[in-house]
C-alpha cells in the first residue's frame, strides 16, 4: 500500500505532459493536440470549415474551394503581369508604376494564400 502512495506522489509532482513553459512569459501553456481535428482547426478558417461541413464529402469540397481560390488569384496575377508587359512596351510610365505596385500586392496575396 505504501508503494502506491509513493507512486501517486511522484505522479502528482510531475507536470502534466500537455503543459510547456512559454519562454517569453514563463507561464505554463497547453500544447496543441495532434489529432486530425486539431490540425484541421489550426489550418482552416471557420468559414472554410463551415463550407466543408455543409457538403456530403467535406474533403473534396475543401480541395475544390482551395483550388478555385488559388485559380482566381493566379488569374489575377497573370492578368497583372500581362498588363505590365503591355504598358511597358507602350511606354505609359505612371500607369506602369501603378500596375507594378498592384502586381506586387497581388503576388503578396498569393504568397499569403499558399
Amino acid at each position: 500500500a505504501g508503494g502506491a502512495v509513493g507512486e501517486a506522489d511522484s505522479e502528482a509532482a510531475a507536470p502534466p505532459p500537455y503543459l510547456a513553459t512559454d519562454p517569453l512569459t514563463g507561464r505554463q501553456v497547453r500544447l496543441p493536440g495532434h489529432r486530425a481535428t486539431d490540425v484541421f482547426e489550426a489550418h482552416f478558417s471557420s468559414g472554410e470549415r463551415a463550407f466543408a461541413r455543409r457538403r456530403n464529402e467535406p474533403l473534396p469540397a475543401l480541395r475544390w474551394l482551395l483550388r478555385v481560390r488559388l485559380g482566381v488569384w493566379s488569374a489575377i496575377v497573370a492578368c497583372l503581369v500581362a498588363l505590365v508587359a503591355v504598358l511597358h512596351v507602350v511606354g505609359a510610365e505612371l500607369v506602369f508604376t501603378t500596375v507594378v505596385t498592384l502586381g506586387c500586392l497581388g503576388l503578396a496575396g498569393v504568397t499569403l494564400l499558399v
Side-chain angles (χ1 to χ4, degrees):
V5 172
E7 289 172 10
D9 288 340
S10 66
E11 288 177 10
Y18 58 89
L19 289 180
T21 302
D22 184 346
L24 297 176
T25 64
R27 294 185 303 179
Q28 294 289 317
V29 295
R30 292 177 186 249
L31 295 176
H34 295 290
R35 297 175 304 164
T37 55
D38 295 333
V39 172
F40 186 70
E41 288 180 5
H43 288 86
F44 296 100
S45 70
S46 59
E48 291 166 338
R49 291 191 309 262
F51 176 81
R53 272 189 235 110
R54 288 192 299 264
R55 304 298 186 262
N56 290 336
E57 295 191 26
L59 192 57
L62 195 56
R63 283 184 184 142
W64 176 84
L65 175 71
L66 295 176
R67 283 184 185 135
V68 167
R69 189 177 294 164
L70 184 60
V72 167
W73 274 105
S74 298
I76 290 170
V77 169
C79 288
L80 285 172
V81 168
L83 188 58
V84 164
V86 168
L87 290 174
H88 186 64
V89 169
V90 171
E93 288 301 318
L94 180 61
V95 178
F96 173 74
T97 304
T98 303
V99 172
V100 168
T101 302
L102 292 175
C104 290
L105 291 173
L107 288 173
V110 169
T111 302
L112 289 175
L113 178 65
V114 174

